[in-house]
Amino acid sequence: MGAAPASRDVTSYGMGLAAPLALFFLLFFVAPLLQLLWLSLHNDTAALHWGLGQYLHFLADPFSLGVLGSTLLLGAEVTAVCLVLGFPIAWLYQRVGPKLQTIIILIVLLPLLTSVVVRTFAWIVILGRQGIINATLQSLGIIDTPLKLLYTQFGVVIALAQVQMPLMTLPLITALGRIDPNLDDASCSLGAGSWRTFFRIVLPLSLPGVIAGCTLTYAAAITAFITQSLIGGGQMLFMPMYLYQQASTLQNWPFAAAISIIFLLAVLAVVSVFTTLGRMSRGYGGA
Amino acid sequence: MSGRKRTLEAISFELVMTVIAVIALVIIIAPSLVVLIVSFTSGFSLRFPPPGYSLRWYAELWNAWQLHFAAKNSLIVALWATSLSVVLGVAAALAISRSRTLSARLLDSLFMSPLVLPALAFGLAALMLFSLVGLPVSPLTLVIGHTVVCVPYVVRNTVAALAQLEPTLLESSAVLGASRLYTFRRIVLPLIRPGIIAGAFIAFMSSFDNVPVSLFLRDAATDMLPIRMWQDLEGKLDVTIAALSGVLIIATVALVAVMERITGLSRRLTN
């Protein structure tokens, strides 16, 4: 029999087991992205001439920059709404019994697992000219003519916030569960009120969860193609649709590739800002 | 809670938090309920509340062969993508979960990166590569693309399940003379199975619902359900789609209930 060293660790497995997935990712994830980068560095559709033309075209074009700006702003708005609505859910979760906890989690999970087209379709029914909100307000005599809710920034933000809420709430629930409940009591017995305790103790200690939630929500919100296109309608253009139009309708692959790379870099920049903040907050939480 | 006096301030805080939480939960659940109710309308439009109730749009759905065709394609691709994700993802999770080396951490971030990178950009990139190497779009390209974006869920849930596995169990098994394979089959696999199933479930749901990758990697012969629905909705507001949404919502709720029983899904996603 083989002379296996006695000290061989039986609790871990060899890295070789990761090789198939690593190879799969190399072939079908890394290689396509490199090919995308390569194509974006060409000035013509036939990919014969190297150059930064596509990037210069994007960066010198107020329209393109406007699309990028409104996409990044949209992400910030959705993240803010998710945080303001999601934090109290996580807080409530820690306050109730196990039965209610399971119900809260399943409610929060529901949008994550329901088809994105279905969720978005529901918002069209709610926000439309004859939708529930307009019908209710009109029947109460508060408004005469229907409000324009669909195809507005407000509509896109609220629909996206509902869709992305689990991505914010789940990390928050985990983070709040890790806070020692004695700290809450200690703060109160030392004379701090509930609001003060919340903002000085609970919120800072839950920062890793807040940051994890913000990262996921932000990334998901700015890449949410279906919700953006159906609720935003033709008037509002965000990066994913811009990318799709250039690639699919106009067949301008090098420019679409450049848009993709700029979009990827923007997402990566936001994620790394959040990650840096997360590292700082963990240091703070551990202090 | 110690017997501290409930001041007005404490009450105001709890009231504000509870009210916002309840409003948020209502906002989360309302759209699904609205669609479900509207789908039983007897009328031709998506009015709420409906003028009357009937199952006519569900009957209509029975004959919508285009939707059936798309649903079948989506189901097949999702099953293949999930199977591939489980095989590749569980093996990778075993390798990286207990290793603290740099390569393990790098691989971990590589396998997780499809979660944050825009899937649409990946879809376009995959299409470009496939057309460069002369592989035409087909169910195969769809399965490959979906696997890339579904694998992170399997890896993450399996790693989490492995992290809760007591190393002493593996050591005792080895001390008692069990081979590594036997220990894996009889100790590790049964204990991490709920984690794998939860990961596979989320991977399946996200593949079945995937738009950004399918958008570039399918053609008319491989019409996918979410894309078919999206394109139908861009044209008109169809009550048949509401009925289809009703079916999908009910199926989702049923599946989540089953998963909660088998895997304790809710605990798994909050730990």
Side-chain angles (χ1 to χ4, degrees), chain B residues 180-208:
Chain B
R180 281 173 75 82
L181 195 63
Y182 188 82
T183 306
F184 178 73
R185 269 204 355 232
R186 301 302 295 269
I187 311 279
V188 179
L189 201 54
L191 286 173
I192 64 170
R193 186 178 290 138
I196 298 175
I197 295 175
F201 171 64
I202 298 174
F204 176 84
M205 298 301 270
S206 70
S207 167
F208 188 74

Side-chain angles (χ1 to χ4, degrees), chain B residues 33-205:
Chain B
L33 287 180
V34 166
V35 165
L36 204 54
I37 295 169
V38 165
S39 70
F40 289 103
T41 186
S42 58
F44 282 91
S45 65
L46 294 162
R47 283 238 317 276
F48 188 92
Y53 294 92
S54 84
L55 285 170
R56 61 185 293 188
W57 298 107
Y58 283 85
E60 195 89 351
L61 196 57
W62 198 255
N63 302 316
W65 64 270
Q66 274 188 320
L67 292 175
H68 295 191
F69 175 68
K72 201 181 110 202
N73 284 334
S74 283
L75 208 56
I76 292 171
V77 169
L79 285 172
W80 277 105
T82 307
S83 314
L84 200 53
S85 297
V86 168
V87 173
L88 296 173
V90 171
L94 286 171
I96 60 176
S97 67
R98 287 192 195 276
S99 176
R100 300 217 169 274
T101 57
L102 181 67
S103 58
R105 273 184 290 146
L106 284 178
L107 283 176
D108 186 48
S109 17
L110 172 67
F111 298 152
M112 287 303 136
S113 49
L115 281 185
V116 281
L117 292 185
L120 204 67
F122 164 67
L124 175 65
L127 173 65
M128 287 173 177
L129 189 80
F130 286 140
S131 63
L132 186 78
V133 298
L135 194 62
V137 290
S138 66
L140 176 68
T141 56
L142 277 167
V143 169
I144 291 174
H146 279 210
T147 303
V148 169
V149 291
C150 292
V151 139
Y153 301 108
V154 176
V155 172
R156 197 171 55 181
N157 279 282
T158 311
V159 165
L162 280 165
Q164 285 167 2
L165 189 71
E166 286 289 336
T168 47
L169 284 175
L170 308 183
E171 279 159 7
S172 350
S173 178
V175 166
L176 291 169
S179 72
R180 281 173 75 82
L181 195 63
Y182 188 82
T183 306
F184 178 73
R185 269 204 355 232
R186 301 302 295 269
I187 311 279
V188 179
L189 201 54
L191 286 173
I192 64 170
R193 186 178 290 138
I196 298 175
I197 295 175
F201 171 64
I202 298 174
F204 176 84
M205 298 301 270

Side-chain angles (χ1 to χ4, degrees), chain B residues 239-269:
Chain B
V239 194
T240 320
I241 298 294
L244 177 57
S245 302
V247 172
L248 291 177
I249 290 169
I250 293 165
T252 305
V253 171
L255 275 176
V256 168
V258 170
M259 281 298 142
E260 178 67 19
R261 274 290 159 98
I262 304 180
T263 70
L265 194 64
S266 62
R267 303 283 144 192
R268 222 153 264 293
L269 292 173

